[in-house]
Amino acid sequence: MSDIYMEPLGEQAIIIRFGTVIDQNTHEKVRKFAAWMDRFPIPGMVEYIPAYTTVTVFYDPLAVMDGKRLDPHTQDQMLSPYERVKRMLHEALEQSSDIRPAAGNIVEIPVLYGGEMGPDLAEVAAYHQISEEEVIRIHSQGEYQVFMIGFAPGFPYIGGMSEKIATPRKKSPRLRIPSGSVGIAGTQTGIYPLETPGGWQIIGRSPVSLFRPNHNPPSLLQAGDYVRFIPISREAYEAYKEEES
Amino acid sequence: MMLKVIRPGLLTSMQDGGRTGFQKHGVIVSGVMDPFAHRIANLLVGNEGNEATLELSLMGDAWEATEHVLLAICGADMNPMADGVPLPMWKPVWIRAGTMIKFSGCRRGARAYVAIAGGFQVPLVMNSRSTYLRAGIGGYQGRALQKGDELKAEAPSERSQKLFDYLEKHAEGRTFYAPDWGIAAELFPRYDASPVIRVIRGNQYDWFTEKSRQDFFQKGFRVNTQSDRMGYRLDGPVLERIESDRELISEAVTFGTVQVPAEGNPIVLLADRQTTGGYPKIAQIVSADLPLIAQTKPGDTLYFREIAHQEAERLLFEREQLIQQAKLGIQLKYM
């Protein structure tokens, strides 16, 4: 566990770093630890957010101190809330090594690429000096793993996209990206579940709903699932939309 | 029915302490921008502290009290009036049925909080009454208040009822009546148009050039007009990274995280922030100072001051102690 590093995110959360690159090995560690936290949350924990290489544990410092006052005069002699949380998480890390998280589902996501639905498709193609068709072909070829859900409700961060179409984020984020938009940021790809600001390169749009507030869980995709992008026509897009409403 | 919206404010939404527990599904926390004013307002009307309150932004509403109500108004001073007479703030106030309650623009601060005895009655969505405007869920029909909306309260606690009865009795013929006690002025945060906000270093503080780190703590940052409950965009010296093309692998962010996109203008993430972000974090506003930034508005200038993480923890406990003292003090009044 010596390669695992912890640091504070403010005074009510702690980031546990399991690695420094997006890879399967780090992802497995994140999923394992998340599965452990689901079963054995530490006292005072509010919730946790798993990401590519990190799990961030949010806690209530007062609950962590379990009624003990953080008095400036005695502070030197007692562990701070952060130090307590860190110690409990280290113990959890040691105990969680044998846990097996559940296997992920395979989910197909239909996408209408380019045109007004994908205003940055041309930019991505130009960046790599390939045709727009080639970008679509490469993007819809892979079976991608959902590494994390974040940024917006149900928004999947999908890794393992080909370097051939990897493109940096836009210099300044757009103020409005329509829901369903499919984007690229570096080697990441994802789908915007709601209209929101964002900095990703938008190459297409999907008619499916990723955020379903009346379902449990409210997100269509979960970390660990697999996604396939299926190119569809304008007609198929409209038909899907019809069905959804 | 208790309150009827006659004229909506600029952005008035129902909020509580936030929708926690679903961030791993990407569901944002929402909740109040100024947790201190929200909690105190609740305590003043005999609530537990986290009941839904109304958050009024920049320009307040006009409501008609359709029944007698027990309210408390905390946070920004929006010049609240009852039938043309100024209403006291940071106090419980009993208001007679038929009274017109009117707020106007902010004289001080940016957001007022109105608590009602029992708390506002709206359904729980994923364990919270907070409005998540972008997704259209929670709060009052998932949106900001509009003309004609009719607001109800949950059944008041025994404590609330006692105070209600006491104030009603003393109101005699008056439109409204408030007791002679309230929260002392020195307890509530001083809302300032150019506040000094305490931060601890962000997780990617080292990614920024020496000059940018100095600028961050020495220069002022103006709140841009493109600022909302999700985040404040700040204008000031451009903050540059040592390696301009280094990309952060997305990870969790939180209330008060100061992140910097490639263009170099910082964004402070607030109540409606996303759960994770891919921009490096130069600083993190400490919990105790979140009300200060929540009460600034576009055009105001922020200054940042660095403190140690342990100091931030201490401030949080100090603030909590203050609230507990206020709670006890208020409860004694209700005996």
Side-chain angles (χ1 to χ4, degrees):
Chain A
M1 293 293 163
S2 56
D3 52 342
I4 294 172
Y5 180 72
M6 297 187 196
E7 63 189 57
L9 173 67
E11 72 284 51
Q12 302 192 58
I14 181 167
I15 303 182
I16 311 166
R17 300 193 181 281
F18 291 89
T20 53
V21 289
I22 301 172
D23 62 21
Q24 202 55 38
N25 179 32
T26 303
H27 177 65
E28 287 303 320
K29 289 182 191 166
V30 167
R31 287 198 73 207
K32 263 189 175 183
F33 191 70
W36 185 265
M37 282 291 113
D38 279 336
R39 238 179 280 176
F40 307 106
I42 60 164
M45 182 171 109
V46 176
E47 61 183 318
Y48 70 85
I49 302 181
Y52 281 116
T53 59
T54 59
V55 173
T56 302
V57 173
F58 292 77
Y59 58 91
D60 173 357
L62 298 143
V64 166
M65 294 306 278
D66 196 21
K68 289 181 193 66
R69 281 169 53 175
L70 191 70
D71 190 320
H73 305 294
T74 58
Q75 199 174 346
D76 289 345
Q77 293 115 56
M78 61 196 280
L79 287 180
S80 70
Y82 174 72
E83 287 160 339
R84 280 172 185 243
V85 167
K86 199 169 163 178
R87 188 198 276 181
M88 288 189 282
L89 291 176
H90 271 297
E91 282 165 15
L93 277 169
E94 275 166 31
Q95 293 162 348
S96 64
S97 52
D98 293 333
I99 195 166
R100 295 211 175 281
N105 299 315
I106 297 171
V107 184
E108 293 190 340
I109 305 283
V111 183
L112 174 55
Y113 285 97
E116 53 172 303
M117 302 298 194
D120 300 323
L121 180 62
E123 192 177 321
V124 171
Y127 186 85
H128 294 281
Q129 297 178 324
I130 55 175
S131 68
E132 293 185 12
E133 290 69 31
E134 187 65 2
V135 174
I136 297 171
R137 196 187 61 78
I138 295 168
H139 189 257
S140 60
Q141 209 172 35
E143 186 173 278
Y144 306 113
Q145 186 160 26
V146 177
F147 279 88
M148 58 185 275
I149 303 292
F151 174 68
F155 182 95
Y157 285 79
I158 295 164
M161 198 189 62
S162 170
E163 287 282 355
K164 289 179 197 152
I165 53 171
T167 313
R169 286 182 181 82
K170 300 193 84 69
K171 278 266 184 278
S172 177
R174 276 198 177 91
L175 289 176
R176 219 170 267 128
I177 292 182
S179 74
S181 292
V182 175
I184 288 176
T187 56
Q188 307 175 60
T189 179
I191 309 135
Y192 282 82
L194 296 176
E195 183 184 287
T196 151
W200 292 32
Q201 305 280 358
I202 305 304
I203 60 167
R205 202 182 297 173
S206 174
V208 301
S209 294
L210 278 85
F211 175 50
R212 309 166 308 166
N214 300 321
H215 290 65
N216 189 17
S219 174
L220 172 69
L221 300 169
Q222 310 298 323
D225 284 351
Y226 293 88
V227 164
R228 281 195 207 119
F229 291 106
I230 313 292
I232 55 166
S233 63
R234 161 74 70 167
E235 292 71 33
Y237 178 91
E238 301 297 346
Y240 266 110
K241 270 284 185 204
E242 198 95 331
E243 213 174 295
E244 283 257 323
S245 59
Chain B
M1 193 194 2
M2 296 275 186
L3 295 176
K4 186 172 177 180
V5 180
I6 303 301
R7 167 180 58 74
L10 193 61
L11 175 69
T12 299
S13 66
M14 225 167 264
Q15 301 291 345
D16 60 13
R19 184 170 284 112
T20 52
F22 298 91
Q23 287 202 83
K24 66 178 162 191
H25 300 299
V27 178
I28 70 165
V29 175
S30 312
V32 291
M33 291 277 277
D34 180 344
F36 183 77
H38 156 83
R39 286 176 70 190
I40 296 290
N42 267 322
L43 295 177
L44 283 167
V45 294
N47 294 345
E48 274 306 306
N50 197 25
E51 289 81 355
T53 59
L54 285 170
E55 180 182 274
L56 288 63
S57 301
L58 297 173
M59 178 74 200
D61 314 48
W63 306 320
E64 185 195 339
T66 50
E67 295 172 25
H68 303 329
V69 288
L70 173 56
L71 299 180
I73 307 165
C74 295
D77 182 355
M78 290 190 178
N79 199 17
M81 308 272 244
D83 283 350
V85 181
L87 276 170
M89 291 183 59
W90 304 93
K91 274 184 180 216
V93 194
W94 179 91
I95 301 175
R96 186 176 300 281
T99 305
M100 185 69 76
I101 305 165
K102 234 184 231 176
F103 297 81
S104 38
C106 290
R107 293 200 290 206
R108 215 168 50 92
R111 288 177 176 82
Y113 292 84
V114 179
I116 193 164
F120 286 101
Q121 190 187 76
V122 287
L124 280 170
V125 177
M126 291 185 243
N127 302 335
S128 167
R129 294 187 168 83
S130 286
T131 315
Y132 177 3
L133 293 165
R134 218 179 283 276
I137 60 168
Y140 190 91
Q141 299 178 10
R143 58 165 173 78
L145 293 190
Q146 293 173 5
K147 186 178 173 174
D149 286 351
E150 296 174 349
L151 312 177
K152 289 183 204 156
E154 301 279 357
S157 65
E158 207 178 312
R159 249 201 309 270
S160 294
Q161 192 61 50
K162 252 189 210 165
L163 184 70
F164 185 100
D165 295 342
Y166 173 85
L167 295 176
E168 182 176 28
K169 205 172 79 193
H170 286 75
E172 294 170 354
R174 283 170 278 213
T175 309
F176 67 88
Y177 184 74
D180 54 6
W181 54 269
I183 294 295
E186 59 270 22
L187 275 191
F188 43 87
R190 269 180 301 145
Y191 305 141
D192 193 330
S194 49
V196 177
I197 291 171
R198 288 167 291 189
V199 303
I200 60 173
R201 287 184 184 187
N203 303 87
Q204 288 78 36
Y205 180 77
D206 295 343
W207 287 31
F208 295 88
T209 62
E210 181 64 35
K211 179 172 185 305
S212 292
R213 285 184 247 169
Q214 278 176 7
D215 282 350
F216 184 73
F217 289 115
Q218 285 168 8
K219 306 266 171 71
F221 289 85
R222 213 171 158 75
V223 179
N224 188 299
T225 48
Q226 286 170 13
S227 295
D228 56 18
R229 280 179 42 87
M230 185 177 177
Y232 278 9
R233 288 173 181 242
L234 306 181
D235 295 325
V238 167
L239 303 176
E240 288 173 337
R241 303 176 200 174
I242 297 168
E243 298 166 70
S244 62
D245 55 356
R246 184 170 178 188
E247 293 250 348
L248 178 68
I249 299 173
S250 292
E251 60 186 40
V253 293
T254 190
F255 201 162
T257 297
V258 187
Q259 59 172 23
V260 185
E263 63 184 340
N265 290 316
I267 299 172
V268 185
L269 299 174
L270 299 168
D272 282 351
R273 68 200 174 273
Q274 65 268 30
T275 56
T276 59
Y279 296 123
K281 303 177 271 296
I282 193 168
Q284 173 67 42
I285 297 175
V286 306
S287 302
D289 282 356
L290 290 173
L292 298 183
I293 184 162
Q295 294 292 354
T296 59
K297 46 184 175 288
D300 290 353
T301 305
L302 314 179
Y303 296 88
F304 296 106
R305 186 160 74 78
E306 184 182 357
I307 63 167
H309 179 264
Q310 267 209 327
E311 175 71 0
E313 284 185 318
R314 199 185 58 74
L315 286 171
L316 182 143
F317 277 74
E318 216 174 75
R319 169 61 53 83
E320 190 59 31
Q321 228 169 23
L322 204 68
I323 294 174
Q324 292 309 325
Q325 275 166 12
K327 187 174 183 172
L328 273 176
I330 293 164
Q331 284 175 358
L332 286 174
K333 301 285 185 190
Y334 283 88
M335 297 285 271

